[in-house]
């Protein structure tokens, strides 16, 4: 019997690491669903993938919007009946390395709304479709900034970093990986976290027209571990990795 087409939904896939991941997965034969809140940019991303010989569709998806997330799940159910891979990539960082004593609660909340609640909302909505698409995968794009192990290690460069909203929301996203992996592991759905690494996107308001700062990876390099975890045949679950290998939680 022919294997079913791999259907992969990526949130925040209209630019940056999400778009680079979408292009690579389309080249690997996945039918890619470009989740984006900006319709014009999302449709442009779909066109670029189709021009490259891949297949893709646009899905309107603001991860903070309950109705849009439910509508996205209903559309995937109606159009395909299942989902093979969910890549929770959408993310923001609005707290710009301010001291925790001076960081407005509203800014911390904004990071959490997208990076944690958005990820959990989309995952909960997609679990029934992933169950129908087994063996299935969830890849959560988190960050080394959310690693307790690195943040508390005086020998790590992350020991000096203070960005409470972003760090805590990404640590919480890692906890979503842990708990969903435990719930879904026995059902044939793997759940893993990936750190893309410091990457030359427009993330956090960086001006993309400026040359990459020394030490920054290309966007292609930033997508590499996400693509690897989305394409691996390994049944490994509950991991936190980057291109160089495993990371401490
Ligand atoms: N770049 C780095 O150095 C780095 C390092 C570690 C981890 N990461 C993680 O990698 C992921 C991708 O980041 P990136 O560097 O590719 O940044 P990016 O170029 O800024 O892309 C972020 C994507 O997330 C989307 N997004 C933001 N809020 C959203 C919402 N409410 N609903 C749906 N989509 C939303 C953005 O859409 P809009 O344009 O509409 O806002 C955009 O498509 C993030 O989770 C980030 O935390 C990045």
């Amino acid at each position: 019997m022919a294997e079913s087409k791999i259907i992969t939904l990526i949130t925040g896939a209209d630019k940056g690491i999400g778009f680079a991941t979408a292009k690579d997965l389309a080249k690997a034969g996945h039918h890619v669903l470009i989740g984006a809140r900006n319709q014009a940019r999302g449709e442009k991303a779909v066109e670029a993938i189709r021009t490259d010989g891949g297949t893709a569709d646009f899905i309107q998806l603001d991860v903070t919007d309950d109705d849009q997330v439910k509508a996205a799940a209903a559309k995937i159910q109606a159009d395909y009946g299942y989902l093979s891979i969910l890549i929770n990539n959408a993310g923001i960082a609005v707290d710009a390395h301010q001291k925790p004593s001076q960081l407005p609660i509203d800014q911390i909340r904004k990071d959490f709304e997208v990076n944690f609640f958005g990820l959990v909302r989309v995952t909960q909505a997609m679990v029934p479709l992933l169950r129908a698409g087994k063996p299935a995968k969830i890849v959560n794009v988190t960050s080394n900034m959310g690693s307790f192990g690195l943040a508390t290690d005086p020998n790590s460069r992350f020991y000096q970093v203070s960005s409470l909203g972003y760090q805590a929301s990404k640590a919480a996203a890692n906890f979503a990986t842990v708990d969903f992996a435990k719930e879904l592991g026995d059902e044939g759905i793997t759940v893993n976290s990936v750190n893309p690494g410091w990457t030359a996107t427009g993330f956090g308001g960086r001006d993309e027209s400026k040359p990459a700062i020394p030490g920054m990876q290309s966007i292609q390099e930033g997508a590499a571990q996400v693509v690897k975890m989305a394409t691996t045949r390994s049944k490994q679950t509950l991991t936190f990795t980057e291109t160089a290998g495993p990371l401490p939680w």
Side-chain angles (χ1 to χ4, degrees):
M1 206 172 84
E3 276 187 31
S4 307
K5 181 92 179 165
I6 297 173
I7 312 276
T8 299
L9 169 65
I10 307 172
T11 65
D14 55 334
K15 64 181 191 184
I17 292 164
F19 181 46
T21 301
K23 283 192 288 188
D24 279 2
L25 293 181
K27 276 189 196 133
H30 297 209
H31 180 75
V32 178
L33 305 180
I34 300 285
R37 52 183 188 170
N38 182 317
Q39 184 169 354
R41 228 170 29 221
E43 284 173 350
K44 210 170 145 204
V46 166
E47 269 322 302
I49 286 172
R50 289 181 184 163
T51 304
D52 241 15
T55 68
D57 285 309
F58 168 69
I59 294 236
Q60 185 84 53
L61 191 54
D62 180 333
V63 302
T64 65
D65 184 324
D66 262 329
D67 291 342
Q68 272 191 26
V69 172
K70 281 186 190 135
K75 183 166 170 42
I76 296 168
Q77 174 64 44
D79 290 353
Y80 314 102
Y82 69 95
L83 187 64
S84 317
I85 303 177
L86 166 64
I87 301 181
N88 283 308
N89 165 76
I92 58 169
V94 294
D95 57 359
H97 299 274
Q98 294 162 72
K99 288 185 176 152
S101 59
Q102 288 157 22
L103 187 59
I105 290 287
D106 276 354
Q107 283 190 41
I108 299 176
R109 204 187 302 278
K110 276 186 191 154
D111 282 332
F112 267 84
E113 283 300 341
V114 177
N115 299 343
F116 177 66
F117 293 115
L119 177 150
V120 173
R121 179 182 290 108
V122 173
T123 305
Q124 288 178 341
M126 299 301 158
V127 160
L129 289 157
L130 291 162
R131 285 190 169 121
K134 290 188 296 192
K137 292 177 194 183
I138 299 170
V139 180
N140 291 328
V141 181
T142 66
S143 175
N144 42 15
M145 296 265 290
S147 161
F148 279 101
L150 295 177
T152 55
D153 175 1
N155 296 315
S156 164
R157 65 191 166 94
F158 293 97
Y159 192 81
Q160 307 300 337
V161 172
S162 177
S163 191
L164 181 60
Y166 185 66
Q167 288 175 296
S169 64
K170 287 295 189 179
N174 273 346
F175 234 107
T177 296
V178 170
D179 283 359
F180 276 108
K182 287 177 184 170
E183 180 184 352
L184 303 173
D186 290 343
E187 300 184 40
I189 302 174
T190 64
V191 189
N192 293 292
S193 281
V194 169
N195 167 47
W198 195 34
T199 305
T201 64
F203 192 65
R206 181 182 165 270
D207 181 352
E208 282 176 274
S209 65
K210 295 217 165 117
I213 299 164
M216 266 186 164
Q217 308 173 107
S218 69
I219 300 180
Q220 198 69 27
E221 288 168 326
Q225 185 67 7
V226 185
V227 171
K228 186 176 168 190
M229 292 308 288
T231 51
T232 180
R233 287 182 175 272
S234 161
K235 297 277 179 281
Q236 246 193 326
T237 191
L238 217 168
T239 68
F240 181 25
T241 61
E242 60 183 5
T243 301
L247 279 164
W249 291 101

